[in-house]
Amino acid sequence: MKKLLLITAILFYGVTSAQEKGTWVFGGELNFSNGESEYQDSTSDFNAFGVTAKTGYVFTKTNLELGLGLGYSTSKNESYDYNYENKYNSYTISPYIKKYLPINDIFSFFLQGEVAFSNYNRKDKYDNYNNTDGNTFFIGLRPGFVYFVTKNIALNANIGALGYSTNKNKSDNLTESKSNSFNFNLNSSNLIFGLSYYL
């Protein structure tokens, strides 16, 4: 994580010092969901919450943004019938570079390349608690669009992702697992909405 932060800082300083003046942008993304499911004679409740804060610098001439995102997410799945409970917490850091493709003065598509590193903890309770700690790494592209409500305030959305991810974790019972995957997903169920302020 320290190496990722250092590389991001050096890259950010190098690009900002070599390019023309631009615009700072501060933004965030928020998501929340809950629900209930039934299977045979069991009922379970699910709720999840996530927040991401982003800061970037947009170079006016090239329509290129360089930035950094910090995120936190949590979820809980609980079944009272079987005395089962699952809790999940994750922290993420994600440096990114975004290319804007303007359509007009208020609407623009974009393509965002990012590298994301997450550290997470999962607690599973079924009679006894079992803790699992792990890390995930993602590198890929996210398409999206921006709509300017005013000169400085914009609504934005990411639509799915194309990328490669790895996951490694270890639980209390010393069980280790590793996985690698390449995903291409562009659908409405993966919409992430956010709000940005351009200074």
Side-chain angles (χ1 to χ4, degrees):
M1 171 103 40
K2 290 182 179 180
K3 289 182 179 180
L4 185 59
L5 283 171
L6 180 60
I7 292 171
T8 302
I10 293 173
L11 179 63
F12 187 82
Y13 176 78
V15 175
T16 54
S17 62
Q19 294 283 343
E20 79 287 346
K21 279 189 174 183
T23 302
W24 284 99
V25 56
F26 303 93
E29 297 164 352
L30 185 68
N31 60 77
F32 173 79
S33 63
N34 65 11
E36 182 181 277
S37 62
E38 295 183 6
Y39 177 73
Q40 295 180 350
D41 59 344
S42 173
T43 301
S44 61
D45 296 317
F46 173 82
N47 61 75
F49 170 81
V51 60
T52 300
K54 291 183 176 182
T55 300
Y57 191 81
V58 183
F59 303 106
T60 308
K61 185 179 293 186
T62 56
N63 288 319
L64 201 64
E65 178 184 336
L66 184 66
L68 179 69
L70 298 173
Y72 169 74
S73 64
T74 181
S75 66
K76 183 178 180 180
N77 192 358
E78 192 169 21
S79 174
Y80 300 103
D81 301 307
Y82 289 102
N83 193 31
Y84 172 77
E85 184 180 81
N86 171 277
K87 293 181 179 179
Y88 178 89
N89 292 283
S90 174
Y91 298 89
T92 302
I93 178 171
S94 53
Y96 67 88
I97 184 168
K98 181 188 294 185
K99 175 66 176 179
Y100 291 90
L101 304 168
I103 302 301
N104 51 43
D105 291 339
I106 63 172
F107 187 84
S108 176
F109 288 105
F110 67 75
L111 189 62
Q112 176 177 304
E114 69 175 56
V115 177
F117 176 82
S118 300
N119 179 267
Y120 67 87
N121 171 264
R122 188 178 70 240
K123 293 182 179 180
D124 295 288
K125 177 189 175 184
Y126 193 77
D127 294 330
N128 294 311
Y129 272 104
N130 181 46
N131 288 302
T132 300
D133 293 306
N135 299 303
T136 62
F137 174 81
F138 169 83
I139 181 169
L141 299 172
R142 297 184 186 276
F145 62 86
V146 176
Y147 175 76
F148 282 87
V149 181
T150 69
K151 182 180 178 181
N152 302 102
I153 299 176
L155 300 174
N156 55 271
N158 291 307
I159 311 170
L162 166 66
Y164 172 79
S165 61
T166 65
N167 177 63
K168 181 180 180 181
N169 62 62
K170 185 176 183 179
S171 61
D172 283 343
N173 58 18
L174 302 182
T175 301
E176 291 188 21
S177 68
K178 297 179 182 179
S179 63
N180 303 288
S181 62
F182 182 81
N183 297 303
F184 177 65
N185 199 331
L186 297 175
N187 59 59
S188 58
S189 65
N190 282 281
L191 277 172
I192 302 175
F193 292 99
L195 184 69
S196 300
Y197 178 76
Y198 294 78
L199 187 61

